[in-house]
Each structure stands twice: as structure tokens, then as C-alpha cells.
Amino acid sequence: ALPEPSRVIHSHRHETNKAGQDVSGTKSISEKGPNGSVVNYNPSRPTNVYVAFPKVNVQVELFDPNPGMALQWAKSGKIQPVA
């Protein structure tokens, strides 16, 4: 079982440029996630992961101070859109 994630969760748009880089200029990785989601993260910042769902106009930022835990949560299938 995963430990409970940090309570710091933000919903916002995440700006990227045409090269798939976030606005800070670092390369991010996008993967298909569970429940139709897209998981976006930067390996050099393993504490922050972004999750977006089809037909939802925002993405959620997951933060956990333990490197890699936010990515585990994003890939766990426990993050779901709320209607």
C-alpha cells in the first residue's frame, strides 16, 4: 500500500513549448497513465508530477517530498477525475 500523499495538490494548466519542454527549459516525459490519464514529469524533479485526463480542462500537480512517490501515486490508478 502506498503511504498517503502530501496534501499539497494544485490544479492548473501546465505550459509547455513545442519541444516538449516545460517553461523552465527542462525536458519532461509524458506517458499514458491509468484511467485514460496522461502523466507528465521531469526526472530531474521527482517530487512533482502532473496528471491530466481527457475532456478535463485542468491538470493536477502531485507533490511528495520523497522523490518518486508522486510518480507512484500518478501511476497507481487512485487519482481520478471528479465530475
Side-chain angles (χ1 to χ4, degrees), residues 14 20-22 24-30 39-50 71:
H14 184 69
Q21 295 176 331
D22 69 22
S24 68
T26 56
K27 189 73 173 172
S28 62
I29 296 173
S30 292
V39 176
N40 188 336
Y41 62 97
N42 184 322
S44 67
R45 295 186 68 199
T47 56
N48 301 71
V49 176
Y50 302 90
L71 185 57

Side-chain angles (χ1 to χ4, degrees), residues 6-8 13 17 19-20 22 34-35 41-42 44 48-49 52-53 58 60 65 67-68 70 72-73 76 78 81 83:
S6 167
R7 297 274 186 219
V8 181
R13 295 174 191 250
N17 65 24
D22 69 22
N35 305 314
Y41 62 97
N42 184 322
S44 67
N48 301 71
V49 176
F53 291 91
V58 296
V60 175
Q72 277 190 303
W73 270 101
S76 72
K78 295 180 185 236

